[in-house]
Amino acid sequence: MAGLVVSGAQVSYIGQDCREIPEHLGRDCGHFAKRLDLSFNLLRSLEGLSAFGSLEELILDNNLLGDDLVLPGLPRLHTLTLNKNQITDLECLLDHLAEVTPALEYLSLLGNVACPNELVSLEKDEEDYKRYRCFVLHKLPNLKFLDARKVTKQEREEALVRGAFMKVVKPKASSDSVSASPKSRYTPLPSASRELTSHRAPDVFPDFLLANCGTLVLFRLCSHSQPQSSPWDLTSEVQVSAPSPIPPGG
């Protein structure tokens, strides 16, 4: 069969653009296969996988599997990779896996919307991913590896305490609140000067006359182009004699 590679108990059928598991694959290899690689196909359904009852490892990366994913009971399966599919409902998937793959120890969901990280959205951050791991470990406490990262003792303990509350992803701030937030905080600076980089002052500044010890000192105020500098500069100083005091009754 073209595209089929068999090595001992390992069966690979990679990159064949198949939309379902070929019936002859299960008939010919299902009874002995312990590792099955069906990555880089167009699978939307796993119908026919029930022929592989002895599977221990199942690789399903780069397919079109979604939230209607259904696995048969695979009591010996310890490794499952579903990277880069179309899974969005994390809780539904985890509940299903807890039921049909009780021996699962290694799970990878990278590249799915259900796994929040920068592979699927630049809006996600490390905190989103930590919450995701905590929730997965709450649902599947026997996992030893999640997304190619070893599960730590601290993660396992945190999942016991907080995992049930990690279902809801951190809400994103609305665009209105984000755009308004810099101006909503109190600042004594005028609106044009609130940004750290907005240190240019108007081209023309008024002259100020400051009285000091009977002498009027004229200061022209101007701005620096470098943000690190003070926004004020004393560029000229003119000594002007103060008018003589007017004698009483003069």
Side-chain angles (χ1 to χ4, degrees):
M1 183 196 313
L4 177 63
V5 177
V6 178
S7 177
Q10 301 185 31
V11 177
S12 298
Y13 195 67
I14 301 173
Q16 300 303 304
D17 293 337
C18 60
R19 300 177 182 275
E20 57 185 22
I21 299 174
E23 183 179 348
H24 55 76
L25 191 63
R27 183 180 61 245
D28 297 340
C29 306
H31 61 286
F32 66 84
K34 293 184 178 181
R35 185 181 190 275
L36 177 61
D37 190 340
L38 296 172
S39 56
F40 293 94
N41 282 292
L42 302 173
L43 295 176
R44 294 181 180 273
S45 167
L46 295 178
E47 186 177 355
L49 195 61
S50 56
F52 295 83
S54 299
L55 279 183
E56 298 177 2
E57 298 179 53
L58 179 57
I59 316 300
L60 295 168
D61 301 341
N62 290 275
N63 278 285
L64 302 174
L65 298 167
D67 294 331
D68 56 351
L69 166 70
V70 177
L71 286 164
L74 298 170
R76 301 181 185 178
L77 193 75
H78 57 71
T79 298
L80 174 62
T81 69
L82 287 160
N83 300 315
K84 297 196 71 173
N85 277 277
Q86 299 179 353
I87 299 168
T88 62
D89 190 335
L90 180 62
E91 185 174 24
C92 180
L93 173 67
L94 298 179
D95 287 341
H96 181 55
L97 294 180
E99 180 180 355
V100 298
T101 58
L104 195 63
E105 296 180 344
Y106 181 106
L107 174 65
S108 189
L109 299 174
L110 293 171
N112 290 279
V113 173
C115 176
N117 60 25
E118 293 183 357
L119 286 176
V120 295
S121 174
L122 293 178
E123 297 179 355
K124 302 300 180 181
D125 57 23
E126 184 64 20
E127 290 303 313
D128 293 311
Y129 184 66
K130 287 180 179 179
R131 281 187 286 273
Y132 150 84
R133 288 181 66 88
C134 191
F135 184 65
V136 173
L137 294 175
H138 163 69
K139 289 288 188 176
L140 301 175
N142 294 327
L143 287 183
K144 296 181 179 179
F145 287 85
L146 177 58
D147 303 331
R149 185 187 297 184
K150 188 175 181 180
V151 175
T152 66
K153 180 181 179 181
Q154 181 179 354
E155 285 182 315
R156 203 176 298 282
E157 292 173 349
E158 185 175 7
L160 287 173
V161 177
R162 302 176 55 205
F165 305 101
M166 295 295 105
K167 175 182 176 180
V168 179
V169 177
K170 178 180 65 174
K172 296 187 296 183
S174 66
S175 57
D176 292 338
S177 62
V178 170
S179 60
S181 58
K183 296 185 180 180
S184 63
R185 295 190 296 267
Y186 169 75
T187 171
L189 295 175
S191 59
S193 303
R194 288 173 185 170
E195 298 296 330
L196 295 177
T197 56
S198 300
H199 287 277
R200 282 189 63 87
D203 293 334
V204 179
F205 266 55
D207 294 335
F208 292 88
L209 295 177
L210 304 178
N212 182 22
C213 299
T215 301
L216 294 178
V217 182
L218 177 64
F219 296 92
R220 178 174 293 279
L221 306 178
C222 70
S223 65
H224 281 288
S225 60
Q226 297 297 328
Q228 297 90 337
S229 304
S230 167
W232 308 110
D233 190 18
L234 309 182
T235 60
S236 63
E237 181 177 310
V238 180
Q239 297 289 338
V240 181
S241 297
S244 300
I246 300 175

